[in-house]
Structures are given as structure tokens and as C-alpha cells.
Amino acid sequence: GESVGLHLPTLSVQEGDNSIINCAYSNSASDYFIWYKQESGKGPQFIIDIRSNMDKRQGQRVTVLLNKTVKHLSLQIAATQPGDSAVYFCADNAGGTSYGKLTFGQGTILTVHP
Amino acid sequence: DAGVIQSPRHEVTEMGQEVTLRCKPISGHNSLFWYRQTMMRGLELLIYFNNNVPIDDSGMPEDRFSAKMPNASFSTLKIQPSEPRDSAVYFCASSLAGGARSPLHFGNGTRLTVT
């Protein structure tokens, strides 16, 4: 993930639309990537992960795309619902061997309007 | 599945006091991580353990911070003495490392305020 700033990117969508949240990472040796959702007052909640030997992975209503050439990761949420409103973080293992020693991005605030 | 359990949820203390944060990882997980979250710096790894052994403490900011894992089901993060700049949300997380790796799962954190 990239370094942290005070002003988080925001994405505002209508209920039912598809959402795409983007993330850039800096370490070309990273081989594990993960997305988390964080609601107010709670810890980050695991959404989906992907290893560098894949470029796409799908879950329930979510898809993660990995482009290693440009060091870019995206999270697609289909049919976004108000309950999806949260801060979304990407993270990577920064070239290390541990899948828990993660470098986090700054986060993106997703707001879903009914 | 009880998830990662942290206590207390909130801690307010005065500068100079000792603070102890507690964590119970998910049963069966063999790796435990302490992260800190602030508005300025986001989520940062402080220290992690594999099989109760500290592996990497390079993220621990100062000697005032210490962490222990006396057994597979309990860990503490201690700050002594605490300072206002330690105010943050501290998260504990656990995972299964090794061949059958699992994603990192977080607790709901301890919000620390040092006045």
C-alpha cells in the first residue's frame, strides 16, 4: 500500500450500482494482496485476497483484479448496498514471506446512497 | 467462531501511567500481530509472533513499548510510561501461518487515550 495522508479518497455511489476501488502498491516483490473493510468502531474485516500468480479472483459480490505490470490492485463490488458503506483498505506483504506482516494503503471511504 | 478478542475496548489514562492491552487470538492460529491505527499514519505493524515467539519488533516505536505472548491463547502489549502521542487504536490480529495459510483476522481494537 501507499503511504498515509490525512485526506482519504472518497467514492460515492447509488444503491445497486457497481463500485470500483483502486489501490497502487510500491513493492514489486510483493506476492500477496488483500482487501479489508472497516466500519466505524470496528476492526478491519477480511473481504478477499489474491496471490501474485493470479490476476483475478472472485468472491460473493466482490472481485479483485491484480495488474502486476503497473502495480495496481482493484476491488469491484457488484450491486452495492448501503451496508457496504465503510472504509476499504488494500494491503500487501511488501515482498516478505509472512501473509500477516502487511503494509496498508491509506484507505478509501465508500458511501452508498439509498 | 469468537474471533480475536481484545480488552479493554476503551482506555483513558494520564501521561506517565502504565497501560496494558490484552488479546486472545482465534483458537488454532499460530501467528499474532499487534497493529496501531492513527489518522496521521494509518495502520502500522508494531510486532508479531509465530508460535509464541517474537519474530519482528521493528515497528515498536520505543523502549516504552513491550509485548509478550506467554501462551498460544494470550498476548499483552504494554506501554510504560504512556505519553499523549501514544493515543491511537491498537489492534490485535491473528492468522494461521505455514502451509495452510489463512488471511489475517483483526479484533475490534482498544481505543487508547492518554491525557
Side-chain angles (χ1 to χ4, degrees):
Chain A
E2 295 292 333
S3 60
V4 172
L6 281 176
H7 302 288
L8 301 184
T10 60
L11 176 64
S12 185
V13 300
Q14 290 295 126
E15 181 178 3
D17 287 351
N18 296 332
S19 302
I20 300 176
I21 301 172
N22 296 303
C23 178
Y25 63 95
S26 57
N27 194 324
S28 58
S30 295
D31 62 359
Y32 176 74
F33 307 86
I34 189 166
W35 282 97
Y36 285 94
K37 170 188 180 183
Q38 187 175 24
E39 297 172 285
S40 180
K42 296 186 177 180
Q45 177 186 356
F46 168 74
I47 301 173
I48 192 168
D49 58 1
I50 188 169
R51 299 183 187 182
S52 59
N53 60 352
M54 303 172 68
D55 53 22
K56 180 179 179 179
R57 190 172 187 211
Q58 289 183 293
Q60 187 176 17
R61 281 201 306 120
V62 295
T63 301
V64 56
L65 298 177
L66 175 63
N67 185 330
K68 295 181 288 294
T69 302
V70 295
K71 297 201 285 287
H72 183 267
L73 192 68
S74 68
L75 177 71
Q76 300 177 1
I77 305 173
T80 318
Q81 302 166 1
D84 294 328
S85 295
V87 181
Y88 288 80
F89 293 94
C90 66
D92 65 84
N93 68 339
T97 57
S98 168
Y99 281 13
K101 184 179 178 182
L102 301 173
T103 298
F104 281 82
Q106 61 183 333
T108 296
I109 300 172
L110 174 65
T111 302
V112 183
H113 300 283
Chain B
D1 183 358
V4 176
I5 300 173
Q6 293 186 246
S7 64
R9 285 300 314 273
H10 302 274
E11 177 79 40
V12 180
T13 190
E14 292 184 345
M15 182 175 62
Q17 297 298 306
E18 177 180 298
V19 174
T20 300
L21 312 181
R22 297 172 174 79
C23 175
K24 176 179 169 56
I26 292 172
S27 178
H29 281 185
N30 59 359
S31 292
L32 183 140
F33 301 76
W34 283 100
Y35 279 83
R36 177 170 70 175
Q37 186 175 39
T38 62
M39 285 299 295
M40 288 295 296
R41 300 176 65 86
L43 275 157
E44 301 176 290
L45 177 67
L46 299 177
I47 185 171
Y48 80 94
F49 298 80
N50 275 354
N51 298 314
N52 313 338
V53 176
I55 301 300
D56 185 345
D57 65 354
S58 59
M60 296 285 261
E62 299 172 34
D63 290 345
R64 299 184 295 106
F65 286 69
S66 62
K68 294 183 179 180
M69 192 164 186
N71 58 63
S73 59
F74 183 66
S75 176
T76 59
L77 177 68
K78 185 179 293 187
I79 308 173
Q80 166 64 21
S82 58
E83 296 182 3
R85 60 191 166 125
D86 301 331
S87 297
V89 182
Y90 291 80
F91 288 104
C92 177
S94 70
S95 69
L96 182 63
R101 301 183 192 188
S102 74
L104 194 61
H105 291 272
F106 285 81
N108 281 327
T110 295
R111 179 174 293 277
L112 173 65
T113 303
V114 183
T115 60

